[in-house]
Amino acid sequence: MNPLPSTVRTDSVASSRRQFIKTTTGALAVPHVVRAGQAQANANEKVVLGVIGPGGMGMNHLRSLARTDRVEIAMVCDADQERMAKAAKEVEERSGRAPAAVSDMRRIFDSDDVDAVVIATPDHWHAPAAIMACDAGKHVYVEKPVSHNVREGRLLMEAVERNQVVFQHGTQSRSTAHVRRAMELLHGGAIGEVLVAKAWNSQRRRSIGKSQPEDPPGHLDFDLWLGPAPKVPYRPNMLHSIWRWWYDYGCGDIGNDGVHDLDLARWGLGAAADIHPSRIAALGGKYFFDDDMQWPDTQNVLFEYAPRDEGDRPRQLIFEQRIWSPYVQEGFENGNAFYGTEGMMLLGKSGGYQLYGKRNELIEDKPSGSPDLGAHHGNFLAAVRGDATVHADVLTAHRSSSLCHLGNIALRVGRTLQFDPQREAIVGDEPANDLLGRRYGEHWSVPEEA
Ligand SMILES: NC(=O)c1ccc[n+]([C@@H]2O[C@H](COP(=O)([O-])OP(=O)(O)OC[C@H]3O[C@@H](n4cnc5c(N)ncnc54)[C@H](O)[C@@H]3O)[C@@H](O)[C@H]2O)c1
């Protein structure tokens, strides 16, 4: 199956998709690539993939996709030769076909055979890689958070729209059955008007210790790994995986585990949170770990959504993070609570949900459920073939990921932010406004408009 060229959609297809997205995700529609007459013809065709960054999560994608019907992983790409070789071997073992293994992702973007890419690099590469992929006409599945900062999220949205490609965000709970059912209940008024939603991240992380610069291992192309980030010497507690605790590569745990639950909190608030918040306040810091971790281990953020019109009410989203807790909260390590005018709901993406009415009467109990990565892949592949609309489109991704970035900015500057949701600007606070973007090194991957 070749990459689909830019869209020619019939208005009826476009408007029914738009309607579907509005009613199921509350998000605005992002145009899709599939031409009306082409969808059926594509239904049985193989989707050819490139997997970029097959590390921890990238290997989860690769293992699942290598055995998926009508999918071929034709290329794998990693800046670490050992990881690249392991990924190629795994694809061959699972699918019977050896993929091309490359270290420069532009070889994937240049390939006419590849329809879509899965990007599971560290966060500082997400938007730069995804923008290049979109501009090469590839459909894109990008891990969360979609961006390293608000500005890059906006640039990626523009790239998806400009190229009319299919885009899926790696928030797999959006395709998970018990979560979708919980959202139907909330949006159907099961607890009245949801005025406040909470997301928490309560677990015990490991310290990353302290380190000094040293030579990178021979199998790692460290300059390529840094890519768009400023050039710095290698340090052993920067990677793999633990890059998420450093400002230039990750977004802290709010952008790591937190983004999943923030996304669900925002979804549960419904149409009222289909916009950025207007006020953001945060407190926290390094209360527990004494190491090189730059992002906070303790972080409480309050987001306020302005009323949409006269007669509407404001809504609030609360985020709590304690990554030194050797216990879960309300039954869930990472979870959500929704507080409505008639009842409340507890939800765990890895758990289930309990719906309570007045005086805590238990109305519905779904005691189990777990995130369904396969369903999220299936939804993406169906969208690429023209048979479905993605569950986590780029606007949804941008709004939920921006919560992480805004919560981080509020904490870093130590002030309540007044945010203009339309202009995506922090009002009256230049130092905070500057943190909507980031500093770059000299590199081919830096987005032109950044
Ligand atoms: N959806 C989920 O539930 C979930 C769970 C865990 C991680 N993640 C996300 O997956 C992503 C990866 O996280 P991880 O913990 O697997 O990190 P990781 O460090 O284990 O893996 C990242 C891989 O990307 C590679 N890489 C870096 N720069 C590259 C480049 N220029 N070209 C090709 N490869 C490059 C690294 O060498 C590494 O192998 C992150 O965005 C993270 O937020 C998502």
Side-chain angles (χ1 to χ4, degrees), residues 255-286:
N256 183 37
D257 271 3
V259 65
H260 286 293
D261 308 289
L262 283 167
D263 182 52
L264 298 186
R266 199 177 69 73
W267 194 8
L269 285 171
D274 272 342
I275 187 165
H276 294 300
S278 299
R279 290 204 295 168
I280 304 102
L283 283 176
K286 290 277 294 286

Short mmCIF file of all heavy atoms in Angstrom, two decimals, residues 255-286:
data_model
loop_
_atom_site.label_atom_id
_atom_site.label_comp_id
_atom_site.label_asym_id
_atom_site.label_seq_id
_atom_site.Cartn_x
_atom_site.Cartn_y
_atom_site.Cartn_z
N GLY A 255 4.39 14.56 32.31
CA GLY A 255 4.34 14.27 30.87
C GLY A 255 4.58 12.81 30.56
O GLY A 255 4.52 12.39 29.41
N ASN A 256 4.88 12.05 31.58
CA ASN A 256 5.18 10.63 31.38
C ASN A 256 3.93 9.82 31.74
O ASN A 256 3.06 9.59 30.88
CB ASN A 256 6.39 10.25 32.24
CG ASN A 256 6.81 8.84 32.06
OD1 ASN A 256 6.74 8.31 30.95
ND2 ASN A 256 7.21 8.18 33.12
N ASP A 257 3.77 9.42 32.99
CA ASP A 257 2.53 8.73 33.35
C ASP A 257 1.38 9.72 33.47
O ASP A 257 0.23 9.39 33.19
CB ASP A 257 2.72 7.98 34.67
CG ASP A 257 3.24 6.57 34.43
OD1 ASP A 257 3.49 6.23 33.25
OD2 ASP A 257 3.39 5.81 35.39
N GLY A 258 1.69 10.95 33.94
CA GLY A 258 0.63 11.92 34.20
C GLY A 258 -0.24 12.24 33.00
O GLY A 258 -1.45 12.41 33.12
N VAL A 259 0.38 12.30 31.83
CA VAL A 259 -0.39 12.74 30.65
C VAL A 259 -1.57 11.81 30.35
O VAL A 259 -2.63 12.25 29.89
CB VAL A 259 0.53 12.93 29.41
CG1 VAL A 259 1.13 11.63 28.95
CG2 VAL A 259 -0.22 13.60 28.27
N HIS A 260 -1.40 10.51 30.63
CA HIS A 260 -2.51 9.57 30.38
C HIS A 260 -3.74 9.97 31.21
O HIS A 260 -4.87 10.00 30.70
CB HIS A 260 -2.11 8.15 30.81
CG HIS A 260 -1.14 7.47 29.89
ND1 HIS A 260 -1.47 7.11 28.62
CD2 HIS A 260 0.13 7.07 30.09
CE1 HIS A 260 -0.43 6.50 28.05
NE2 HIS A 260 0.55 6.47 28.92
N ASP A 261 -3.49 10.27 32.50
CA ASP A 261 -4.62 10.54 33.40
C ASP A 261 -5.15 11.96 33.22
O ASP A 261 -6.35 12.21 33.38
CB ASP A 261 -4.17 10.25 34.84
CG ASP A 261 -3.57 8.86 34.91
OD1 ASP A 261 -4.32 7.88 34.79
OD2 ASP A 261 -2.33 8.75 35.00
N LEU A 262 -4.25 12.89 32.87
CA LEU A 262 -4.72 14.24 32.53
C LEU A 262 -5.62 14.19 31.30
O LEU A 262 -6.64 14.88 31.24
CB LEU A 262 -3.52 15.16 32.24
CG LEU A 262 -2.76 15.66 33.46
CD1 LEU A 262 -1.43 16.28 33.05
CD2 LEU A 262 -3.59 16.70 34.23
N ASP A 263 -5.23 13.36 30.35
CA ASP A 263 -6.03 13.22 29.12
C ASP A 263 -7.43 12.69 29.46
O ASP A 263 -8.44 13.19 28.94
CB ASP A 263 -5.30 12.25 28.18
CG ASP A 263 -6.02 12.06 26.86
OD1 ASP A 263 -6.34 13.07 26.20
OD2 ASP A 263 -6.26 10.89 26.47
N LEU A 264 -7.49 11.71 30.38
CA LEU A 264 -8.79 11.16 30.76
C LEU A 264 -9.59 12.17 31.58
O LEU A 264 -10.81 12.28 31.43
CB LEU A 264 -8.61 9.85 31.53
CG LEU A 264 -7.92 8.73 30.75
CD1 LEU A 264 -7.92 7.45 31.57
CD2 LEU A 264 -8.59 8.50 29.41
N ALA A 265 -8.91 12.91 32.46
CA ALA A 265 -9.61 13.92 33.26
C ALA A 265 -10.26 14.95 32.33
O ALA A 265 -11.42 15.33 32.49
CB ALA A 265 -8.64 14.60 34.22
N ARG A 266 -9.49 15.38 31.35
CA ARG A 266 -9.98 16.39 30.39
C ARG A 266 -11.14 15.82 29.57
O ARG A 266 -12.14 16.49 29.33
CB ARG A 266 -8.82 16.82 29.48
CG ARG A 266 -9.04 18.14 28.78
CD ARG A 266 -7.83 18.53 27.97
NE ARG A 266 -7.61 17.67 26.82
CZ ARG A 266 -8.34 17.68 25.71
NH1 ARG A 266 -9.35 18.50 25.58
NH2 ARG A 266 -8.06 16.84 24.72
N TRP A 267 -11.01 14.56 29.17
CA TRP A 267 -12.07 13.90 28.39
C TRP A 267 -13.36 13.83 29.22
O TRP A 267 -14.45 14.13 28.74
CB TRP A 267 -11.59 12.50 28.00
CG TRP A 267 -12.36 11.80 26.94
CD1 TRP A 267 -13.37 12.31 26.16
CD2 TRP A 267 -12.17 10.43 26.52
NE1 TRP A 267 -13.82 11.34 25.29
CE2 TRP A 267 -13.10 10.19 25.49
CE3 TRP A 267 -11.32 9.41 26.91
CZ2 TRP A 267 -13.20 8.94 24.86
CZ3 TRP A 267 -11.40 8.18 26.27
CH2 TRP A 267 -12.34 7.95 25.27
N GLY A 268 -13.21 13.46 30.50
CA GLY A 268 -14.39 13.34 31.36
C GLY A 268 -15.08 14.66 31.62
O GLY A 268 -16.29 14.69 31.85
N LEU A 269 -14.32 15.76 31.58
CA LEU A 269 -14.95 17.07 31.77
C LEU A 269 -15.81 17.46 30.57
O LEU A 269 -16.62 18.40 30.66
CB LEU A 269 -13.88 18.15 32.01
CG LEU A 269 -13.21 18.16 33.39
CD1 LEU A 269 -12.03 19.13 33.40
CD2 LEU A 269 -14.20 18.54 34.49
N GLY A 270 -15.63 16.77 29.47
CA GLY A 270 -16.48 16.97 28.30
C GLY A 270 -16.14 18.24 27.53
O GLY A 270 -15.00 18.72 27.56
N ALA A 271 -17.15 18.79 26.86
CA ALA A 271 -16.93 19.91 25.94
C ALA A 271 -16.30 21.11 26.65
O ALA A 271 -15.58 21.90 26.03
CB ALA A 271 -18.25 20.31 25.29
N ALA A 272 -16.55 21.24 27.96
CA ALA A 272 -16.02 22.39 28.70
C ALA A 272 -14.49 22.42 28.68
O ALA A 272 -13.88 23.48 28.84
CB ALA A 272 -16.51 22.33 30.15
N ALA A 273 -13.87 21.25 28.50
CA ALA A 273 -12.40 21.20 28.49
C ALA A 273 -11.87 20.93 27.08
O ALA A 273 -10.73 20.50 26.92
CB ALA A 273 -11.91 20.14 29.47
N ASP A 274 -12.69 21.19 26.07
CA ASP A 274 -12.23 21.09 24.69
C ASP A 274 -11.59 22.39 24.27
O ASP A 274 -11.89 22.96 23.20
CB ASP A 274 -13.39 20.74 23.76
CG ASP A 274 -13.55 19.24 23.67
OD1 ASP A 274 -12.59 18.53 24.01
OD2 ASP A 274 -14.64 18.80 23.28
N ILE A 275 -10.78 22.90 25.12
CA ILE A 275 -10.06 24.15 24.91
C ILE A 275 -8.92 24.11 25.94
O ILE A 275 -8.91 23.24 26.81
CB ILE A 275 -11.03 25.34 25.13
CG1 ILE A 275 -10.38 26.65 24.76
CG2 ILE A 275 -11.56 25.38 26.58
CD1 ILE A 275 -11.39 27.77 24.61
N HIS A 276 -7.97 25.00 25.82
CA HIS A 276 -6.94 25.06 26.87
C HIS A 276 -7.53 25.73 28.12
O HIS A 276 -8.45 26.53 28.02
CB HIS A 276 -5.76 25.91 26.40
CG HIS A 276 -4.99 25.32 25.26
ND1 HIS A 276 -4.36 24.10 25.33
CD2 HIS A 276 -4.73 25.81 24.02
CE1 HIS A 276 -3.74 23.86 24.18
NE2 HIS A 276 -3.95 24.87 23.36
N PRO A 277 -6.95 25.43 29.30
CA PRO A 277 -7.40 26.14 30.51
C PRO A 277 -6.98 27.62 30.46
O PRO A 277 -6.07 27.98 29.73
CB PRO A 277 -6.65 25.41 31.63
CG PRO A 277 -5.45 24.82 30.97
CD PRO A 277 -5.84 24.50 29.57
N SER A 278 -7.65 28.43 31.28
CA SER A 278 -7.34 29.87 31.31
C SER A 278 -6.43 30.25 32.47
O SER A 278 -5.75 31.27 32.41
CB SER A 278 -8.63 30.68 31.46
OG SER A 278 -9.45 30.43 30.36
N ARG A 279 -6.47 29.46 33.54
CA ARG A 279 -5.60 29.76 34.69
C ARG A 279 -4.94 28.48 35.16
O ARG A 279 -5.59 27.42 35.23
CB ARG A 279 -6.41 30.36 35.84
CG ARG A 279 -6.88 31.75 35.51
CD ARG A 279 -7.15 32.54 36.78
NE ARG A 279 -8.25 31.97 37.56
CZ ARG A 279 -8.52 32.32 38.80
NH1 ARG A 279 -7.76 33.21 39.41
NH2 ARG A 279 -9.54 31.79 39.44
N ILE A 280 -3.66 28.58 35.50
CA ILE A 280 -2.90 27.40 35.94
C ILE A 280 -2.03 27.81 37.14
O ILE A 280 -1.27 28.78 37.05
CB ILE A 280 -1.97 26.89 34.80
CG1 ILE A 280 -2.79 26.59 33.53
CG2 ILE A 280 -1.22 25.62 35.24
CD1 ILE A 280 -2.70 27.63 32.46
N ALA A 281 -2.16 27.05 38.23
CA ALA A 281 -1.32 27.30 39.41
C ALA A 281 -0.67 25.98 39.82
O ALA A 281 -1.29 24.92 39.69
CB ALA A 281 -2.16 27.83 40.56
N ALA A 282 0.58 26.03 40.29
CA ALA A 282 1.27 24.79 40.67
C ALA A 282 2.23 25.02 41.82
O ALA A 282 2.83 26.09 41.94
CB ALA A 282 2.05 24.25 39.46
N LEU A 283 2.36 23.99 42.64
CA LEU A 283 3.37 23.98 43.69
C LEU A 283 4.05 22.61 43.69
O LEU A 283 3.42 21.61 43.33
CB LEU A 283 2.74 24.21 45.06
CG LEU A 283 2.34 25.65 45.41
CD1 LEU A 283 1.64 25.67 46.76
CD2 LEU A 283 3.53 26.59 45.42
N GLY A 284 5.30 22.57 44.11
CA GLY A 284 5.99 21.29 44.20
C GLY A 284 7.48 21.48 44.10
O GLY A 284 7.99 22.59 44.25
N GLY A 285 8.19 20.40 43.85
CA GLY A 285 9.64 20.46 43.74
C GLY A 285 10.25 19.11 44.01
O GLY A 285 9.58 18.08 43.96
N LYS A 286 11.55 19.11 44.32
CA LYS A 286 12.27 17.88 44.70
C LYS A 286 12.16 17.75 46.22
O LYS A 286 12.99 18.28 46.95
CB LYS A 286 13.73 17.97 44.26
CG LYS A 286 13.96 17.92 42.76
CD LYS A 286 14.00 16.50 42.20
CE LYS A 286 15.16 15.66 42.67
NZ LYS A 286 16.47 15.98 42.11
#
